[in-house]
Amino acid sequence: EVGEPFRESLRRKTRERIATLGTFSSVDVELEEPYLPQKRKMVVITVVERTPGYAVPAIGFSTGEGGRVSLEFGYGNIGGDAISFTFGARLSYLPTDLILDPSVKKTFVEKLGDPGFSARTGVRVTGSLGFPEIGLGPLIRTQLDLLGVHDLQRDFYITKFAVTPSVNYRPLTDLNFTAAESLEYNNVRIFEAGSIDDYLLGRITNGTFTQDLARYLLVPDGLSVAVAQRFVVTWDRRDNAFDPVRGTAFISSLEHVDAFPQQVVAARTEKERALTAPGESHFLQFSETFSGYFPIFKRLRFAAKGRIGTN
């Protein structure tokens, strides 16, 4: 601030806050003529602006997904206000003649048609808008995330649309608070089993059940709408988030979800309707995660992580 003392702590804070805008590759805060004794000094801030936009197209093929094309696009300085926008899209399609598993080929043709472009085309579209300033000061940022997915697996498909606004408050470099609200629409179709529970029970019986699959299908059968709220506190004192050698990280998370099935099963009597009516689901999760890293010798380190929580 003009007229206030020049301190090293404020210099570091200025650099960090400018750097978090994401639009500059380097930030330098120095005094003009630093070795000249003066009661009042001029502060010069020098920045180097990075290329604000990028586009990455890709094309490929695999026996699991067939042909696929994708595009990633991002722009980090809309209107010169450090508003960021990212967009990603991916399409894939596996022709019937290239499906190697006979049982999967039969299921896809019978359940989804041939060629069945509308149901058998895998789609993933993501978009994100980030705002560094919403009128509450430089420590509070907000972000809007959009998601559209049609994921085709060998035994089921899931279609999801979601919108998630979030607010981020970072009072210190290593302390972060995030609050998010999300609204999502899900449509799950199991090809052979009658319900998600029946399908997972079958996978347990034949020994192919995994926790990842159970988490992926943590939605009601058929069409459903879910509303969720999430609050996360992160205290990260690691020296490097991607390859830490020393330091600790603590994450506390609280999430609440209400899901409302949208399909009503036809029934002839009031009693049958009561038995087959889809039920709402309400879910609350609280979790604590702690990880620590301690150097031993050069790049050799000891790492440990613990997690505890309740559903």
Side-chain angles (χ1 to χ4, degrees):
E1 296 183 10
V2 177
E4 294 297 315
F6 182 85
R7 297 189 176 95
E8 182 62 25
S9 59
L10 297 178
R11 177 175 177 265
R12 288 196 304 268
K13 185 180 294 184
T14 299
R15 291 184 59 183
E16 291 171 358
R17 291 185 179 179
I18 296 177
T20 54
L21 294 175
T23 58
F24 304 110
S25 58
S26 67
V27 181
D28 196 17
V29 181
E30 298 290 347
L31 290 174
E32 186 180 48
E33 299 181 344
Y35 301 108
L36 181 65
Q38 289 175 304
K39 184 177 181 179
R40 298 177 64 85
K41 305 288 290 187
M42 184 74 69
V43 177
V44 179
I45 301 177
T46 305
V47 296
V48 177
E49 187 173 0
R50 67 179 64 193
T51 303
Y54 67 90
V56 182
I59 186 171
F61 176 84
S62 73
T63 56
E65 292 181 308
R68 60 179 183 264
V69 294
S70 65
L71 172 66
E72 293 184 19
F73 172 80
Y75 194 83
N77 194 17
I78 297 177
D81 292 324
I83 298 174
S84 62
F85 171 72
T86 58
F87 171 82
R90 175 172 174 157
L91 301 176
S92 62
Y93 177 77
L94 182 61
T96 303
D97 294 337
L98 297 181
I99 301 177
L100 304 180
D101 191 322
S103 61
V104 175
K105 179 185 293 187
K106 179 182 178 181
T107 300
F108 278 24
V109 172
E110 292 180 353
K111 304 295 183 180
L112 304 177
D114 188 17
F117 291 112
S118 59
R120 290 170 53 181
T121 299
V123 181
R124 182 177 182 85
V125 179
T126 59
S128 179
L129 269 173
F131 302 90
E133 171 62 52
I134 57 174
L136 299 176
L139 301 181
I140 299 179
R141 304 166 61 93
T142 188
Q143 185 165 309
L144 178 64
D145 296 310
L146 303 174
L147 171 68
V149 174
H150 179 71
D151 189 7
L152 183 63
Q153 301 290 330
R154 59 180 293 145
D155 299 319
F156 64 90
Y157 73 67
I158 180 169
T159 303
K160 179 190 295 285
F161 299 97
V163 55
T164 306
S166 60
V167 177
N168 184 280
Y169 173 56
R170 186 186 293 269
L172 302 172
T173 303
D174 51 8
L175 183 62
N176 188 62
F177 299 88
T178 301
E181 171 77 22
S182 67
L183 174 65
E184 68 178 45
Y185 162 90
N186 294 289
N187 182 19
V188 180
R189 180 183 175 186
I190 307 296
F191 297 143
E192 300 297 340
S195 67
I196 295 176
D197 289 340
D198 294 338
Y199 171 67
L200 294 177
L201 183 60
R203 296 292 293 264
I204 293 175
T205 303
N206 60 30
T208 59
F209 175 84
T210 64
Q211 289 292 341
D212 289 338
L213 180 63
R215 282 191 290 266
Y216 193 62
L217 291 174
L218 196 63
V219 293
D221 291 310
L223 303 175
S224 64
V225 174
V227 181
Q229 305 83 37
R230 191 165 188 248
F231 181 72
V232 182
V233 179
T234 304
W235 186 26
D236 192 347
R237 300 178 65 250
R238 296 173 296 177
D239 58 344
N240 187 312
F242 299 101
D243 186 23
V245 175
R246 68 176 71 241
T248 58
F250 172 76
I251 301 174
S252 178
S253 174
L254 177 66
E255 184 175 13
H256 172 252
V257 182
D258 293 315
F260 306 94
Q262 302 298 298
Q263 287 181 319
V264 178
V265 181
R268 292 172 295 179
T269 66
E270 197 67 33
K271 182 177 180 180
E272 289 180 352
R273 187 176 294 109
L275 292 174
T276 57
E280 301 175 3
S281 60
H282 306 279
F283 179 81
L284 185 67
Q285 181 188 65
F286 177 71
S287 65
E288 303 286 332
T289 304
F290 177 82
S291 56
Y293 302 84
F294 307 95
I296 299 177
F297 178 72
K298 292 186 178 181
R299 299 297 296 175
L300 183 65
R301 76 211 71 168
F302 173 81
K305 175 181 285 189
R307 176 175 296 170
I308 187 172
T310 182
N311 297 329

